[in-house]
Amino acid sequence: MGKKNKHRVTPKDRTNKNRGFDLGDQQGVILLPDVSFASALHKAEVVGCAYALGGLTGYPGAVPWLSLVCRNAEPMRAAFKSFEKWGCEADGEVVDLQILLKKDGKYFLVISPEADRAIFRLGPHQLTRPLFLSQFWIKEYDTTNSFLHQLKSHCDSGLGPVVLSAATLPAKGAPLIPENIGRIEGLPSIIKFNIKIRTEEEDPNHWLVDPRAKRTRPPGGAGPASPKPSPREYAAARRRTIDTAFPVTRERIRRALLVDSIQAIPGFKTVGRSQIEQAAINLMLSVELCDGTPHYATLDEKYRDTIWKHIEDRVEYADGKSIPSLPSLDATCTQIRADITELVTRDGADLHQFKKFSSLQAFYDRRGYGAV
């Protein structure tokens, strides 16, 4: 009888208490940003837009100004107060502004929180899988001023800023002409370099033209993360978690050449760096959570929630004192196998088809879990 391969996937691996955990299996969170701006803009009764060239402190020459013209100044101030809370004075792009120029001469103007920046503000965005839910304010105008086409050329060039402001047209029924428009003073500054102006000809599947179209996503609704992540999204999230939550441990692993040592073991040559770093991190976390017991063996069935809570509360120190020693090669190999087994089993794979660890690793890589 030949020597037993201690890295073979066996029924025992599926029934013992060794638990695998993938750092890319991030918890989903629903993020809902401030939506009061939409109600405020509605109450402001925006009746049009004013366009002009004006000065900007510290910028040579005139720049385009785009002002929302409303009947009621106070709700407009409230809307801009929301923009200020988002951080518009430091970064005007927190206010997402889209304009769609239609074939029939009309145009749409849309304002919403910019999704990526809102996610950054609202959550531990590097350690969670956000589902971003938002509201947006939309206004349709019957005629398109020629200035908007000039503004589109200006924005498409990517060379200059645009100032977003607001003004009032107090007299009911007064025509929308410069003489009747009064600028609302004291509003926070919003300087934008990324106003999205499209024409219907350029983007016939824009969601404002066809709400069922998927090519251009509206600023509200689901954010960048899908409800069920793909294997490649798992891999990217795993790398992100390691780099965000374990920078000290990651560097210790690299300096100890643990990756090279594991990949030198027969059958483990193709195991990825993030897998090896993850296994070492899991063993370290198990020591912290299970009184020194490896492989999360003493945790219950809700161990994923327990681990994520521990990660979110944990702080890494580079003092050389509070860091446990790196795990043995044998323990790391066992954890790598447990991590893969747990993930592909949840993915519906039948472990009986894998006679050797190398076959299991190959399947894992083909599915895309190992990609970074």
Side-chain angles (χ1 to χ4, degrees):
M1 180 180 293
K3 184 178 180 181
K4 180 180 178 181
N5 181 356
K6 65 179 178 180
H7 298 307
R8 184 186 300 273
V9 179
T10 67
K12 181 180 178 182
D13 294 316
R14 297 190 295 275
T15 58
N16 65 18
K17 293 183 179 181
N18 291 348
R19 298 189 185 279
F21 178 74
D22 198 292
L23 295 170
D25 188 16
Q26 295 180 334
Q27 294 177 310
V29 295
I30 295 177
L31 300 180
L32 180 65
D34 170 30
V35 297
S36 62
F37 77 96
S39 175
L41 288 174
H42 177 74
K43 292 176 182 178
E45 296 185 36
V46 178
V47 294
C49 285
Y51 320 103
L53 293 175
L56 181 61
T57 303
Y59 190 84
V63 301
W65 282 63
L66 176 62
S67 292
L68 302 175
V69 181
C70 67
R71 297 287 185 190
N72 305 312
E74 288 311 307
M76 182 61 74
R77 288 184 185 277
F80 271 70
K81 191 67 176 176
S82 290
F83 303 153
E84 185 178 22
K85 292 178 181 178
W86 301 353
C88 69
E89 293 193 295
D91 177 13
E93 304 309 329
V94 299
V95 181
D96 190 70
L97 178 60
Q98 298 190 38
I99 296 175
L100 178 68
L101 307 177
K102 298 185 65 181
K103 294 177 182 178
D104 59 7
K106 299 179 181 180
Y107 75 95
F108 287 107
L109 187 147
V110 182
I111 294 177
S112 71
E114 198 281 322
D116 289 336
R117 288 168 171 83
I119 290 171
F120 184 87
R121 292 195 306 273
L122 293 172
H125 60 289
Q126 298 291 348
L127 299 179
T128 58
R129 183 165 47 84
L131 185 63
F132 180 67
L133 302 177
S134 183
Q135 189 171 3
F136 52 95
W137 176 82
I138 181 170
K139 180 74 174 180
E140 183 177 16
Y141 295 97
D142 292 333
T143 57
T144 299
N145 191 293
S146 60
F147 185 89
L148 274 180
H149 292 279
Q150 299 173 35
L151 184 64
K152 174 174 166 51
S153 299
H154 173 82
C155 294
D156 287 348
S157 70
L159 298 177
V162 176
V163 178
L164 176 63
S165 187
T168 57
L169 187 69
K172 192 172 182 63
L176 190 63
I177 58 177
E179 292 78 9
N180 295 330
I181 297 173
R183 180 180 172 185
I184 301 177
E185 301 293 341
L187 298 180
S189 174
I190 303 180
I191 302 170
K192 293 187 59 62
F193 288 83
N194 188 29
I195 294 180
K196 307 175 185 70
I197 303 180
R198 304 286 289 170
T199 67
E200 188 175 348
E201 290 84 358
E202 291 174 327
D203 199 351
N205 293 328
H206 194 286
W207 65 277
L208 286 168
V209 177
D210 182 2
R212 298 168 298 176
K214 295 182 179 180
R215 193 169 68 84
T216 305
R217 189 177 60 209
S226 57
K228 183 180 179 181
S230 69
R232 290 186 177 274
E233 288 173 329
Y234 263 102
R238 181 190 314 123
R239 181 76 265 156
R240 189 166 61 247
T241 299
I242 293 171
D243 293 341
T244 300
F246 303 98
V248 176
T249 302
R250 177 197 63 198
E251 291 309 310
R252 291 184 67 243
I253 291 170
R254 291 178 180 177
R255 291 176 185 179
L257 302 178
L258 182 63
V259 172
D260 293 339
S261 298
I262 293 295
Q263 291 177 339
I265 296 173
F268 283 74
K269 181 178 180 180
T270 61
V271 176
R273 175 168 62 90
S274 66
Q275 288 180 258
I276 297 170
E277 291 174 351
Q278 171 181 264
I281 289 168
N282 276 335
L283 288 165
M284 178 185 66
L285 294 179
S286 183
V287 168
E288 297 171 1
L289 286 168
C290 304
D291 295 326
T293 303
H295 315 303
Y296 302 122
T298 64
L299 296 184
D300 59 22
E301 293 301 318
K302 295 183 179 180
Y303 71 98
R304 295 187 191 90
D305 292 340
T306 301
I307 296 171
W308 277 120
K309 180 65 169 58
H310 183 65
I311 291 173
E312 290 174 6
D313 293 340
R314 187 177 179 277
V315 177
E316 291 226 304
Y317 296 97
D319 57 10
K321 300 177 182 179
S322 56
I323 305 173
S325 60
L326 292 178
S328 68
L329 297 185
D330 187 63
T332 304
C333 289
T334 299
Q335 188 64 49
I336 290 171
R337 185 169 65 249
D339 293 342
I340 298 177
T341 299
E342 192 274 340
L343 192 58
V344 301
T345 301
R346 289 176 59 195
D347 200 21
D350 180 6
L351 292 181
H352 289 91
Q353 63 182 302
F354 307 114
K355 303 302 181 182
K356 296 182 179 180
F357 171 80
S358 56
S359 300
L360 179 64
Q361 176 67 39
F363 174 80
Y364 178 90
D365 288 333
R366 285 197 304 272
R367 291 283 291 125
Y369 286 114
V372 291

